Amino acid sequence: MRHNKNFNHLGRQAGHRKALMSNMASSLVLHKRIETTVAKAKALRQFIEPLVTKSKEDTTHSRRVVFSYLKQKEAVTELFRTIAPKIANRPGGYTRILKTGFRLGDAADMCIIEFVDFNEAYTFGTTPAAAAEAKPKTRRSRKSTAKKTDAVEDAAVVEEKPAKAAPKAKKPVAPKAAAAKAAAPKAVKKTNVGKKM
C-alpha cells in the first residue's frame, strides 16, 4: 500500500525517474529556462530547489553533494559560479512555472520552468524600461510627437553626412497626364479559357 506517499512517480521506475530529474535539472541550470509538461516541472522544482540552496555555500562538500544529483561538471560549475551569487539573498522560491497551453500531439499541459532571477522581463532592471519605450501605452498621444522627433533626428543625420553628387533626376511628369493615366480603366485581356474549340 502507498498510503500517504504522495509524490509523482511520473510513470517511471526509480532509476529512470532519477536520470530524468538529473538531466532536466542540468538543462535548467545550463539554459536557465526549459519547456516541459506541468507534472515534470513540478517534480523538477522539488528536485532543484534544495540543490540551489546548497549552492549558496561554496564548499567542496556542497559541490560533491550537488554533483551526486546533477552528474554533470558543467552544470555544477554553472550553478556555483553564476546562479548562486545572483540568488544569494533570496530565501527560496528560485524557480517559476509559466503555463503555455496544451501540446498538439497528446494535449499534455505544457509550461516553461525558469529561474526567477534570470528573466529580465520580470525583474526590475533596465530591460523593462526599454520594452516600455518600444511599445507605447496609447496610440493617439505619441504619434504626432514621435513623428516630430523622428523628423528632427533625420534632419540632424542628413546634416552630418558629407554632400555627394546628386543622381540625375527623372523627367517630371505633368500632373494632368499622371491623373489621366490613373483614371483610365485598364484594358481587360481576353483569353480562350472555358471556350470550346
Side-chain angles (χ1 to χ4, degrees), residues 52-63:
V52 176
T53 302
K54 181 73 80 175
S55 73
K56 288 182 178 181
E57 184 184 355
D58 191 3
T59 62
T60 306
H61 175 66
S62 61
R63 280 182 179 260

Side-chain angles (χ1 to χ4, degrees), residues 85-156:
K86 204 161 186 180
I87 53 100
N89 56 359
R90 186 176 287 278
Y94 311 110
T95 56
R96 169 191 299 127
I97 294 176
L98 302 168
K99 294 187 178 182
T100 58
F102 300 96
R103 189 160 52 195
L104 193 61
D106 60 353
D109 200 6
M110 299 298 286
C111 69
I112 292 173
I113 181 168
E114 64 184 5
F115 281 110
V116 173
D117 292 313
F118 285 88
N119 187 346
E120 284 80 15
Y122 280 90
T123 56
F124 298 104
T126 57
T127 312
E133 288 175 16
K135 185 178 178 186
K137 293 181 181 177
T138 59
R139 291 185 195 167
R140 285 176 274 157
S141 64
R142 297 193 187 220
K143 278 189 176 177
S144 60
T145 57
K147 287 181 182 175
K148 289 178 186 175
T149 56
D150 289 344
V152 171
E153 290 172 359
D154 290 342

Side-chain angles (χ1 to χ4, degrees), residues 13-193:
Q13 300 291 325
H16 189 179
R17 189 168 52 250
K18 286 175 186 174
L20 172 79
M21 288 294 113
S22 171
N23 287 332
M24 288 179 66
S26 297
S27 296
L28 181 63
V29 167
L30 292 174
H31 301 292
K32 313 298 184 281
R33 171 187 300 171
I34 58 173
E35 184 178 9
T36 183
T37 61
V38 172
K40 287 180 187 173
K42 288 180 179 179
L44 178 61
R45 182 171 54 189
Q46 290 179 344
F47 182 85
I48 194 96
E49 299 239 348
L51 300 181
V52 176
T53 302
K54 181 73 80 175
S55 73
K56 288 182 178 181
E57 184 184 355
D58 191 3
T59 62
T60 306
H61 175 66
S62 61
R63 280 182 179 260
R64 286 177 177 167
V65 169
V66 170
F67 179 75
S68 71
Y69 284 94
L70 295 183
K71 299 179 175 57
Q72 280 189 25
K73 289 181 182 178
E74 299 84 14
V76 174
T77 305
E78 182 76 12
L79 180 64
F80 278 86
R81 281 194 187 158
T82 61
I83 296 174
K86 204 161 186 180
I87 53 100
N89 56 359
R90 186 176 287 278
Y94 311 110
T95 56
R96 169 191 299 127
I97 294 176
L98 302 168
K99 294 187 178 182
T100 58
F102 300 96
R103 189 160 52 195
L104 193 61
D106 60 353
D109 200 6
M110 299 298 286
C111 69
I112 292 173
I113 181 168
E114 64 184 5
F115 281 110
V116 173
D117 292 313
F118 285 88
N119 187 346
E120 284 80 15
Y122 280 90
T123 56
F124 298 104
T126 57
T127 312
E133 288 175 16
K135 185 178 178 186
K137 293 181 181 177
T138 59
R139 291 185 195 167
R140 285 176 274 157
S141 64
R142 297 193 187 220
K143 278 189 176 177
S144 60
T145 57
K147 287 181 182 175
K148 289 178 186 175
T149 56
D150 289 344
V152 171
E153 290 172 359
D154 290 342
V157 171
V158 169
E159 291 172 2
E160 292 173 0
K161 292 181 181 177
K164 291 183 179 178
K168 292 183 179 180
K170 290 183 180 179
K171 187 177 173 182
V173 180
K176 288 183 183 178
K181 275 188 177 179
K186 293 183 179 178
V188 178
K189 193 174 190 180
K190 291 186 179 180
T191 60
N192 290 331
V193 176

